[in-house]
Amino acid sequence: MDLSSFLTSLATSCIIFLLLMLLFFWLSNKPGNNVVYYPNRILKGLEPYDAMYKTRYPFTWIQEAFSSTEKDVISISGVDSAVYFVFLATALGILVVSGLVLLPLLLPLALTDKGKSNQTTSKGTFTDLDKLSMGNIKEKSDRLWAFVFAVYWVSVVTYYLLWRAYGHVSELRAAALMSPEVKPEQFAILVRDIPAPPVDQTRKKQVDSYFRALYPDTFFRSMVVTDYGKVNVIWKELEGYKKKVAHAEAVYAEYKEKGKPEGTRPKNRPRCCGLIGAKVDTIEYYTEKIDELTTKLEAEQKVVLREKQQASAFVFFKSRLSAASAAQNLHARMVDTWTVVNAPEPRQVIWDNLTKQFYSRQIRQYIVHSIVFLTIAFYMIPIGLVSAFTTLENLKKLLPFIKPWVKKKALRTVLEAYLPQLALLVFLSLLPKLLLVLSKAEGIPSESHAARAASGKYFYFSVFNVFIGVTLGGTLFSTFKTIQKSPDDIIPLLASSLPGNATFFLTFVALKFFVGYGLELSRIIPLIIFHLKRKYLCKTEAELKEAWTPGDLNYGTRIPSDLLILTIVFCYCVIAPIIIPFGVVYFGVGWLVFRNQVLKVFVPSYESYGQMWPHIHTRIVAALILFQVTMFGYFGVNKFYYTPVLIPLPFLSLIFAYICSKKFYRAFHDTALEVAREDLKEEPNMEVVFKSFIPPSLATEKADDDQSEDALSPISRSVSSA
Amino acid sequence: MDLSSFLTSLATSCIIFLLLMLLFFWLSNKPGNNVVYYPNRILKGLEPYDAMYKTRYPFTWIQEAFSSTEKDVISISGVDSAVYFVFLATALGILVVSGLVLLPLLLPLALTDKGKSNQTTSKGTFTDLDKLSMGNIKEKSDRLWAFVFAVYWVSVVTYYLLWRAYGHVSELRAAALMSPEVKPEQFAILVRDIPAPPVDQTRKKQVDSYFRALYPDTFFRSMVVTDYGKVNVIWKELEGYKKKVAHAEAVYAEYKEKGKPEGTRPKNRPRCCGLIGAKVDTIEYYTEKIDELTTKLEAEQKVVLREKQQASAFVFFKSRLSAASAAQNLHARMVDTWTVVNAPEPRQVIWDNLTKQFYSRQIRQYIVHSIVFLTIAFYMIPIGLVSAFTTLENLKKLLPFIKPWVKKKALRTVLEAYLPQLALLVFLSLLPKLLLVLSKAEGIPSESHAARAASGKYFYFSVFNVFIGVTLGGTLFSTFKTIQKSPDDIIPLLASSLPGNATFFLTFVALKFFVGYGLELSRIIPLIIFHLKRKYLCKTEAELKEAWTPGDLNYGTRIPSDLLILTIVFCYCVIAPIIIPFGVVYFGVGWLVFRNQVLKVFVPSYESYGQMWPHIHTRIVAALILFQVTMFGYFGVNKFYYTPVLIPLPFLSLIFAYICSKKFYRAFHDTALEVAREDLKEEPNMEVVFKSFIPPSLATEKADDDQSEDALSPISRSVSSA
């Protein structure tokens, strides 16, 4: 790729972004699209935009993004979103401060030296950019000292900004946990691995008497987790029927309006997706079904609550302080029984995982980690196999009906060329979901925790495969024999193949932000889907709302890909400092676009009070260490005599990571008592707190009956005194 | 060494042991020696021996040891001693159960095979024992399967017995912590790293208001740690003078008795150890001094309590439950401030370390670990240098007065031969003390914890140097070039040099237990020292008591050396199973001898409720892993085709260690709430609890005056409500 074609591709991407931005301006100004462009504000009961921005210009959204404060973000979208912005701002800060020194220092040095003629920064004849990179410096040159200084500068800037960011996030988290609002999860703990109850006691009594004895003043009541899978199935069926009745009624009403005053009652065939059986009146049929199921549900609920109590429970306390303290205490002498953790928010509890036992969780974790490791290291093998088996010849045998298609030559060429890539693409797009499923299989009790675990796995996958994979790329196989001789050579190898790929990554970063952010901002796909659904499918208000309600930001995949960009920019920022402005634009535009999306579009589906941050922090440090090690190798390749001056850096990074985790980490795992101590706005209504944890399928509208054996019911005082 | 000389040395050791035992019988039956042989019982106010053992026979002590129960040990010597016996019993159990299978299985197999003629088990011509070892098995023989099975058998037996022992110790610890006795340390926590107080508050007020807010119902009061070094110096001087007065009075009384009714008042010269100055009347002089110092002490105490308050404190709670919970909670958002741990027993607090700050402790730990690592790895270098510099030629130059001595030829030869060994001996005997000093320098707050830390270091030193050092010994230097080529060869090298040293270790183990235990039991040295002191130095009752009061068992060095024996026996138990009986005798006799010593002699100077166990456990597992890895190498040396069947073993051990630490460890670090919940015999007298933590030099006999600014005083209610 030469300079002109690089610039062309850059310009094209840039124009696409501008076009998409204009499209966004045009579409978002149509009131009919408000639910697509401002759903979060609408759900919060706010106007789509503030009065002061009533007149919309193409850049108003940028103005709005800039004028919004962290407080706005927290109040509208929660601490997790604010933490995401701290991450973006920190990455931006690191790159800006590094760039301010590196660009004026290194570019002239590189430009004015007469470099090695045989080494190029790009695989083609991209000689113009080449002159701006470290590849243009002579071997053993004293000018390399400036590059050594640059490595130190980037490291120190990163330490400083990360340190400040960790402190800031820690404050955000504390402030959120100190908030005077009553949050049910702050009054509860999750107890797992409860040992078998004595023969004469139910699980419920066991839990109650255990905790009442330990916390006589502050224990409120407990909720034993039940195996309510069967009830859930019935409940979901019931909800489905209720929706169908509502839908049918809406259709009926529409008919009525259209002319026939008595209307045509909608009918359907009840079996096999409406394909067979006699037609019945939909409304009558489902109403009948609903009555039937409601009775069944109630009966089943009673059975579940009484007889399917599991070995875990939520325990509620009358104060935040006691709950925070209880979640940190060792309760039983055997550490694998009565294990406690902070209760997750009710909405993000993964109920199925609550009942998994201690060693089961440990073993699952190992199995999952092994699977993930194998996936990361060897995912090319199954994909290769799949694409080998899905050659056209094989497909013809397996699926004879595609034969006529294959005969066309043009189509055939395209298919043969793209089948392996297709397999790879399918795999890559399914990977985040797969990792999330795997993470949940570890036995993690909350959605946010599972997302964090999946996000970590995805980061290591990205870095290992995209970055190291592409960089080593062709180099690897040709030099395979060298590696076999001594595996220690991997770092110099990695380092020497870095410059050859600088332009590939430049293009990658540029494409990623211009096209990706353009699509994100303009929300074309959700818009089209919404309009299609509204026109052809939705009949009731609820269905319509479901059609436009957005998901959440999906940190689980977003953060790893941002971190990948940061890793790439880190690794190239000294070798080819020209990559820094691209990184700055990536994080700068990202900050703007996501500020817009977070404030107006995405609705967070859970809140973890910034527990994501320690993970982000660790991975930024990991990226920094990768950068430092690679630079050490690269200086070695340049035969720089003083390369060992870089040796302290990775150790410094490790010490930095260690000190940070010592100083800040535990506050992200437990709640500090001085934080939990803060007063509440009002006396918490413990009944409300308790009820918020009842899964919807088990919630009954009836008042509590005093069956003291039941998983949810309060224990009577006479029992407690036993 | 051939068989006859081995048997001779064995027999000699055995006879020495029997002689020492008889000596013990004879000496311990003299009532005048009771304070040397039964000091623990005497201090506890018991008769030297129970009525049922009134008639003493040479083996009565063995009878007593067998009839004593674990409860006796705990009541007389505490949980730590009981844990030591659990360790001895577990080691014994492992060796007995292993031996029952290994001896009848492996010895015949080895004896009936025609071994490699070129390999011997001993460095000499020790061919008879050689036939009983694995060295006598042909290479690639199928008989090696039996040895593989033996390795698995030993491992499984170890897992099983360790698992049971861990559970048992965990119960002992819980039972001790649940005891209805009031133990001051169970009502207190140690708070360190308190941030600077606000300008208008004293440290004392800050601590009180902080904890009163978090534990409004159960907080009792706090004791701010002060920098009382200066007071302590004065106090020690004062105590010294008091002793001198008592001594002088006793001497005076003796004179009086002897004849002159008015007596000769003892006199001394007060300066420079009584060498210069005019003679003064001792009693008058020191009584004056005491009055002087008492006033000074009181003034200084006030200054210290008011003005030298440090950033740490003991905080007292009204219940064990609150204290146990508080010690586990994260109090401040910044993890490096307000750090809490369980309070150690008052008698074992290392006051100087309480004021060391968080990062200071971390850095100290790293420095100490580095020093210890360097010591372990390279201690031969400074010793070599020392002995090189202390050759006789050099000594003659430095210390001219030894010249005439050196001229004698015989003496000269001896000196030249023994000087390096002497340097080594001095180093080895000082090492435990050095390690203890180093461990204390880490900033550890209690003596027992420091002893544990030192013990760990000593274990790694022993194993590395005695075991690996001796085994590799000569082999190492001759094959240094091989190692340089590939460090992976260290395991086969270690393995192939093992059999050559089997007899060395046989003799080592035999000598160690016969002579060592004989000396331990007969207590000849303490006996002689006591009688000398009684005769020439002691005048008062207090001085006499000081002369016979024994120290504690000194687990810090005892356990590592027992562990070293266990490591040696493990490593040889399959190669030369004949070592097993020696191990059995070592741990069996050790159990008997120490049962006697613990019940009658040693007085524990602190109690850590079995916190030593996890460390012992980890090191037994480490020894097991060393055994498994060495066996893997040794089978490889024997060219056994199926050697890889041993690969799972080290991993199994790691998993076992991991599961144990997950299940049991935290209960040894924190107190489980269900343990702390148990009721007390009586309502604790909190004033007594509080006072027990006041260091003796700060204790005043006066009642508390209500100066609320003082480090010890209770805060008045008006302050607390602020």
Side-chain angles (χ1 to χ4, degrees), chain A residues 357-651:
Chain A
Q357 289 295 294
F358 192 78
Y359 292 106
S360 151
R361 298 201 299 271
Q362 301 285 339
I363 294 164
R364 280 160 173 276
Q365 208 178 343
Y366 282 107
I367 295 173
V368 166
H369 286 192
S370 315
I371 294 174
V372 169
F373 173 77
L374 293 175
T375 312
I376 291 178
F378 304 113
Y379 80 100
M380 285 311 292
I381 296 173
I383 289 178
L385 287 178
V386 166
S387 51
F389 279 111
T390 53
T391 53
L392 284 180
E393 289 308 308
N394 283 331
L395 280 184
K396 265 193 280 184
K397 276 180 210 154
L398 290 169
L399 310 167
F401 60 86
I402 64 161
K403 242 181 198 167
W405 293 84
V406 174
K407 277 180 188 152
K408 287 175 193 160
K409 208 193 162 193
L411 195 69
R412 195 175 162 172
T413 326
V414 171
L415 274 179
E416 274 182 344
Y418 282 102
L419 262 180
Q421 277 85 335
L422 205 67
L424 183 61
L425 266 180
V426 168
F427 168 77
L428 285 181
S429 62
L430 289 182
L431 186 67
K433 286 243 181 305
L434 173 74
L435 291 178
L436 191 62
V437 168
L438 280 173
S439 299
K440 282 185 185 169
E442 285 179 32
I444 289 169
S446 69
E447 296 281 351
S448 65
H449 190 168
R452 285 199 295 281
S455 155
K457 298 180 175 91
Y458 195 59
F459 170 72
Y460 291 111
F461 175 85
S462 314
V463 167
F464 185 80
N465 281 298
V466 178
F467 182 60
I468 300 189
V470 169
T471 306
L472 293 183
T475 334
L476 191 67
F477 287 98
S478 60
T479 52
F480 198 68
K481 277 181 189 166
T482 333
I483 290 183
Q484 265 189 323
K485 270 185 209 147
S486 64
D488 303 345
D489 290 349
I490 191 95
I491 289 170
L493 178 71
L494 182 58
S496 67
S497 58
L498 270 182
N501 293 285
T503 46
F504 171 85
F505 282 118
L506 270 182
T507 332
F508 179 77
V509 174
L511 259 179
K512 173 123 189 163
F513 71 70
F514 280 136
V515 180
Y517 287 154
L519 284 175
E520 180 67 56
L521 184 66
S522 62
R523 286 179 68 75
I524 290 181
I525 296 159
L527 183 78
I528 294 171
I529 292 175
F530 165 68
H531 280 294
L532 286 178
K533 276 195 181 165
R534 197 186 55 160
K535 195 134 196 180
Y536 300 107
L537 291 173
C538 304
K539 296 293 170 190
T540 63
E541 271 301 305
E543 281 171 340
L544 201 64
K545 193 174 166 191
E546 208 172 82
W548 59 257
T549 299
D552 59 4
L553 189 51
N554 207 352
Y555 300 106
T557 51
R558 183 138 337 260
I559 289 174
S561 60
D562 288 341
L563 280 169
L564 176 67
I565 301 290
L566 189 63
T567 311
I568 292 170
V569 177
F570 263 151
C571 287
Y572 282 101
C573 69
V574 170
I575 296 176
I578 198 73
I579 203 173
I580 295 177
F582 289 87
V584 169
V585 174
Y586 177 84
F587 286 105
V589 175
W591 190 91
L592 279 178
V593 169
F594 281 104
R595 198 74 162 197
N596 185 66
Q597 305 299 82
V598 159
L599 289 176
K600 297 175 195 156
V601 181
F602 293 123
V603 179
S605 54
Y606 45 72
E607 169 70 271
S608 71
Y609 305 107
Q611 284 190 299
M612 192 69 175
W613 180 259
H615 297 252
I616 299 176
H617 176 88
T618 312
R619 270 153 219 143
I620 296 180
V621 175
L624 188 70
I625 292 175
L626 182 64
F627 156 61
Q628 290 163 340
V629 171
T630 327
M631 285 317 293
F632 176 72
Y634 191 64
F635 275 97
V637 168
N638 274 283
K639 296 183 182 144
F640 184 56
Y641 193 73
Y642 301 101
T643 306
V645 297
L646 290 175
I647 290 178
L649 274 179
F651 294 98

Side-chain angles (χ1 to χ4, degrees), chain B residues 516-562:
Chain B
Y517 286 153
L519 284 175
E520 179 68 56
L521 185 66
S522 62
R523 285 179 69 75
I524 291 181
I525 296 160
L527 184 78
I528 295 170
I529 292 175
F530 165 68
H531 281 294
L532 287 177
K533 274 194 181 167
R534 199 186 52 161
K535 194 134 197 180
Y536 300 107
L537 291 174
C538 304
K539 295 293 170 192
T540 62
E541 270 302 306
E543 280 170 341
L544 201 64
K545 193 175 166 191
E546 209 171 82
W548 59 256
T549 299
D552 60 5
L553 189 53
N554 206 352
Y555 300 106
T557 53
R558 183 138 336 260
I559 290 174
S561 60
D562 288 341

Side-chain angles (χ1 to χ4, degrees), chain A residues 333-369:
Chain A
R333 194 159 56 74
M334 288 300 146
V335 185
D336 54 358
T337 55
W338 298 101
T339 52
V340 290
V341 285
N342 284 309
E345 286 182 314
R347 57 179 169 172
Q348 57 162 317
V349 174
I350 306 177
W351 289 91
D352 287 343
N353 278 347
L354 296 190
T355 53
K356 292 202 173 104
Q357 289 295 294
F358 192 78
Y359 292 106
S360 151
R361 298 201 299 271
Q362 301 285 339
I363 294 164
R364 280 160 173 276
Q365 208 178 343
Y366 282 107
I367 295 173
V368 166
H369 286 192

Side-chain angles (χ1 to χ4, degrees), chain B residues 572-603:
Chain B
Y572 283 101
C573 69
V574 170
I575 295 176
I578 199 72
I579 203 172
I580 294 178
F582 289 87
V584 168
V585 175
Y586 177 84
F587 285 105
V589 175
W591 190 92
L592 279 177
V593 170
F594 280 105
R595 197 75 160 196
N596 184 65
Q597 305 300 81
V598 158
L599 289 176
K600 299 175 194 156
V601 182
F602 293 123
V603 179

Side-chain angles (χ1 to χ4, degrees), chain A residues 170 174 210 214-215 321 325 328-331 333 335-336 359 362 366 658 662-663 666-667 672-674, chain B residues 170 174 210 214-215 321 325 328-331 333 335-336 359 362 366 658 662-663 666-667 672-674:
Chain A
S170 179
Y210 190 87
L214 292 178
Y215 306 94
L321 193 58
S325 165
Q328 297 176 48
N329 286 332
L330 174 70
H331 285 81
R333 194 159 56 74
V335 185
D336 54 358
Y359 292 106
Q362 301 285 339
Y366 282 107
Y658 178 78
K662 272 277 169 191
K663 187 177 172 75
R666 207 183 145 195
L673 294 194
E674 65 175 28
Chain B
S170 180
Y210 189 87
L214 291 178
Y215 306 95
L321 193 59
S325 165
Q328 299 176 46
N329 286 333
L330 174 71
H331 285 82
R333 195 158 56 73
V335 186
D336 55 359
Y359 292 106
Q362 301 284 338
Y366 282 106
Y658 178 79
K662 272 276 168 190
K663 184 175 175 74
R666 207 184 145 193
L673 295 194
E674 64 175 27

Side-chain angles (χ1 to χ4, degrees), chain A residues 101-144:
Chain A
V101 170
L102 263 60
L103 289 175
L105 175 72
L106 302 186
L107 289 187
L109 277 177
L111 202 59
T112 56
D113 207 358
K114 304 231 178 302
K116 301 152 276 183
S117 53
N118 60 340
Q119 196 176 343
T120 60
T121 317
S122 64
K123 277 186 173 144
T125 52
F126 193 11
T127 45
D128 295 310
L129 275 189
D130 213 19
K131 281 193 185 142
L132 295 172
S133 85
M134 200 172 146
N136 205 36
I137 300 286
K138 283 203 204 93
E139 278 184 2
K140 301 178 191 171
S141 163
D142 275 346
R143 294 188 180 202
L144 287 172

